[in-house]
């Protein structure tokens, strides 16, 4: 009888962990996915050049970043972009893994500097 109860607890615990991992990778969980006043977690990776951090966001935030960057390319003469859209991943978990990789390997943020300023920095004496 005790073995049966123990088996039931193990199965229940494993199912619970699987459900949590599934929710983390695909579904919305307000406790985890509202990550700041600016963003909600999703499968799209951007670099926030203003706040200097990587973030996995929902598609609307990613699209807004793309549009913002396109407008900056057309009319702004600022030294830096406001954000950099990096790419889409199959799910949040994959995006989080890439974010972790880029953070731990201290990947630079040179993509925040506008191209015309990069060439000025290279040509400067």
């Amino acid at each position: 009888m005790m073995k049966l109860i123990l088996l039931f607890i193990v199965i229940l615990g494993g199912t619970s962990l699987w459900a949590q991992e599934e929710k983390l990778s695909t579904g919305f969980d307000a406790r985890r996915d509202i990550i700041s006043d600016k963003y909600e977690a999703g499968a799209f990776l951007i670099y926030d050049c203003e706040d200097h951090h990587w973030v996995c966001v929902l598609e609307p935030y990613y699209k807004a970043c793309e549009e913002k960057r396109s407008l900056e390319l057309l009319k702004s003469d600022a030294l830096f972009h406001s954000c950099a859209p990096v790419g889409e991943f199959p799910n949040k978990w994959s995006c989080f893994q890439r974010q972790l990789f880029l953070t731990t390997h201290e990947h630079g943020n040179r993509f925040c500097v506008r191209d015309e300023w990069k060439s000025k920095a290279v040509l400067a004496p």
Side-chain angles (χ1 to χ4, degrees):
M1 182 65 175
M2 190 63 161
K3 288 182 182 181
L4 185 59
I5 293 172
L6 184 59
L7 179 63
F8 180 71
I9 291 171
V10 170
I11 291 173
L12 184 63
T15 306
S16 174
L17 290 175
W18 177 77
Q20 288 175 357
E21 184 178 324
E22 182 68 24
K23 186 180 253 188
L24 177 63
S25 64
T26 57
F28 179 78
D29 181 5
R31 290 179 296 150
R32 291 185 178 159
D33 291 344
I34 299 175
I35 51 180
S36 74
D37 290 339
K38 285 174 83 171
Y39 303 115
E40 291 179 29
F44 294 82
L45 183 62
I46 65 173
Y47 186 83
D48 186 325
C49 297
E50 295 171 341
D51 294 337
H52 310 288
H53 64 85
W54 296 99
V55 61
C56 292
V57 298
L58 293 173
E59 188 174 12
Y61 298 103
Y62 183 83
K63 295 288 186 194
C65 175
E66 283 182 325
E67 291 172 15
K68 205 176 197 182
R69 191 172 178 106
S70 295
L71 289 174
E72 290 170 352
L73 287 170
L74 293 175
K75 64 179 182 174
S76 178
D77 60 346
L79 176 60
F80 297 101
H81 292 287
S82 59
C83 68
V86 177
E88 176 183 1
F89 291 85
N91 53 46
K92 287 185 287 187
W93 183 252
S94 299
C95 187
F96 294 154
Q97 291 300 311
R98 177 56 62 151
Q99 179 185 10
L100 180 62
F101 174 83
L102 293 168
T103 302
T104 56
H105 288 87
E106 297 182 26
H107 195 280
N109 61 354
R110 190 91 171 125
F111 42 79
C112 289
V113 179
R114 293 177 53 98
D115 288 338
E116 56 271 9
W117 284 99
K118 288 178 191 175
S119 62
K120 289 179 183 181
V122 171
L123 300 175

